[in-house]
Amino acid sequence: QHYYITNNLSSMAGSVKNIVIGGGTGNIGKYLVSSLIKGGHNVSVISRQAWALNKASKVAPADGARHQMAKNFISWKDIDKDGLPLDTDVVINLSGQSIGKPGPWINSIKKSITSSRIDTTTKLAKAIAKSEAPPKLFISASAVGVYGLDAEKTYTESDPPVAKGKETYFTDLCLKWEESSKLTEECQTRVVNPRFGVVLAYNTDPMRILLPQGLLFGGTVVGSGEQPFPWIHIDDTVSALEMMIENEEVSGPVNFVAPQIVDNSQFTRALADACMTSVQKITLPAPLVRLMYGTERADCILLDSPKVVPQKLLDFGFQFQHKDIDSAMKAMVDSLEGCATPGMRVFKMVIGRNKKAAK
């Protein structure tokens, strides 16, 4: 190990931290990196395109840029070769290939989805274990898919993962994902596993598909519409991650979902209302969903999900900005007003059209 996140040794004073993030250029990572930089922290992002990103980071962001960009990028090869930067306080891994792309989970896609999560988490866990001065905190992502699909049960962090013999590919992935983040008993690094529900932001899965559909055509109920839809707004996601950094009492699994439990039909209604459109009378029947996405994927994510509550966040006094799906969805649609990309301009035109039609 020979490199540092920052040469400003006084940065350790106060609450300023040196933070290394895997997946910092991803859908959630962009928001988190931007917020941490605005908060005065020193952020380094691990990326396969570290060289190109380091070059791009020297260019001033364009007017209207949505995110503050990290100025320091390191590669996964750097982590393998040199370990973590010597002054690392916090390591966060949000890496993982999207599971939201259309189509069934064929073996090659499963392999890529799995390796993008397990391999990166394992690399960071090994780097922490080998560190001369291990970081205080390791935040390693997971998902609510770790729980079973008992329709009569509401899951909290105190509930065990899915029962043996009832695993699906997705539950097995989540179990292995969390397992790969475990450190040795000798290591004093605190480990937190955020178990994410669907994160509501215009660029996250599955909102990058559902939001344009909602704006242009209205909402479409999937299957019976009665299946739970665990969700959390991106603002609360970032705030909760920052709370994990600041509150040293939090450890282990933490459900990253909003306190309001909704089903698919309620979610669809909120999306349509926020887009000022309507819910389509024709639903997307389960057989068609299975044909489009494959039975395995459809049955464990689209046509069913666990009912989950954020018990730990509530117990630690976390204040949700968006407690109900209606205000959260409206905030997400309203956030498009601050986007300056060509695609977003089209969406804003559609929103304007919908507003006029609603009057």
Side-chain angles (χ1 to χ4, degrees):
Q1 292 179 323
H2 61 271
Y3 60 110
Y4 293 81
I5 292 178
T6 176
N7 291 321
N8 178 13
L9 299 181
S10 65
S11 68
M12 289 298 293
S15 61
V16 174
K17 293 178 174 61
N18 297 321
I19 303 172
V20 172
I21 303 181
T25 59
N27 298 330
I28 298 172
K30 289 177 183 176
Y31 290 92
L32 178 61
V33 167
S34 181
S35 183
L36 291 172
I37 291 173
K38 289 176 182 176
H41 298 291
N42 301 305
V43 179
S44 286
V45 171
I46 312 170
S47 173
R48 287 170 297 178
Q49 292 86 35
W51 179 85
L53 288 168
N54 271 318
K55 187 176 180 180
S57 70
K58 304 298 187 291
V59 181
D63 290 340
R66 187 169 181 81
H67 303 291
Q68 292 264 5
M69 190 175 182
K71 296 296 182 184
N72 188 36
F73 294 86
I74 54 181
S75 71
W76 288 103
K77 288 183 179 179
D78 292 330
I79 297 295
D80 284 335
K81 180 183 175 184
D82 300 315
L84 294 171
L86 286 173
D87 54 358
T88 303
D89 300 309
V90 178
V91 175
I92 302 173
N93 193 27
L94 301 172
S95 301
Q97 179 181 312
S98 169
I99 62 169
K101 294 178 180 178
W105 280 337
I106 59 177
N107 288 335
S108 60
I109 292 177
K110 283 183 182 179
K111 185 177 179 180
S112 182
I113 289 173
T114 300
S115 64
S116 66
R117 288 163 172 77
I118 308 301
D119 292 355
T120 55
T121 305
T122 301
K123 283 178 188 287
L124 290 173
K126 287 181 177 179
I128 290 170
K130 292 178 181 178
S131 179
E132 295 174 13
K136 300 290 187 183
L137 171 63
F138 181 26
I139 298 177
S140 182
S142 181
V144 295
V146 73
Y147 298 113
L149 296 173
D150 186 344
E152 302 301 316
K153 187 168 182 58
T154 300
Y155 294 92
T156 71
E157 294 88 348
S158 61
D159 288 303
V162 63
K164 210 166 186 64
K166 293 189 176 181
E167 301 98 332
T168 64
Y169 162 71
F170 192 53
T171 56
D172 189 54
L173 168 65
C174 293
L175 289 168
K176 290 178 179 176
W177 201 359
E178 292 188 12
E179 185 67 27
S180 64
S181 71
K182 289 185 177 179
L183 305 173
T184 61
E185 292 183 5
E186 294 77 21
C187 186
Q188 297 301 305
T189 301
R190 177 167 56 99
V191 179
V192 176
N193 296 118
R195 292 173 172 174
F196 290 106
V198 174
V199 177
L200 301 189
Y202 72 88
N203 64 329
T204 57
D205 296 326
M207 298 316 301
R208 67 172 72 197
I209 297 174
L210 295 178
L211 183 55
Q213 289 178 350
L215 287 167
L216 295 170
F217 311 113
T220 303
V221 173
V222 176
S224 68
E226 297 175 356
Q227 66 272 32
F229 197 101
W231 63 277
I232 184 170
H233 191 277
I234 187 63
D235 292 344
D236 290 319
T237 302
V238 171
S239 295
L241 287 168
E242 291 176 332
M243 189 186 94
M244 304 297 105
I245 294 172
E246 298 301 328
N247 191 330
E248 296 180 0
E249 299 299 315
V250 184
S251 64
V254 180
N255 292 337
F256 270 51
V257 295
Q260 184 191 37
I261 297 175
V262 301
D263 60 26
N264 180 267
S265 62
Q266 291 169 310
F267 170 85
T268 304
R269 166 57 63 190
L271 173 62
D273 288 348
C275 293
M276 284 158 288
T277 52
S278 58
V279 177
Q280 297 292 327
K281 293 181 179 179
I282 300 175
T283 64
L284 199 61
L288 182 56
V289 177
R290 294 187 179 102
L291 184 65
M292 293 169 61
Y293 292 94
T295 299
E296 184 178 34
R297 181 180 175 194
D299 285 349
C300 70
I301 291 185
L302 301 171
L303 297 174
D304 208 351
S305 284
K307 282 191 291 187
V308 184
V309 291
Q311 195 59 55
K312 270 192 181 179
L313 288 177
L314 294 172
D315 289 346
F316 279 101
F318 180 74
Q319 297 296 313
F320 283 88
Q321 297 177 59
H322 307 286
K323 294 181 179 180
D324 65 275
I325 189 64
D326 293 312
S327 66
M329 200 68 76
K330 185 178 185 303
M332 182 186 65
V333 173
D334 288 347
S335 73
L336 296 176
E337 295 293 333
C339 300
T341 63
M344 290 302 111
R345 291 193 191 105
V346 173
F347 284 150
K348 283 188 276 189
M349 289 174 61
V350 174
I351 292 171
R353 180 204 68 182
N354 293 350
K355 283 181 178 178
K356 288 181 180 179
K359 290 181 179 179

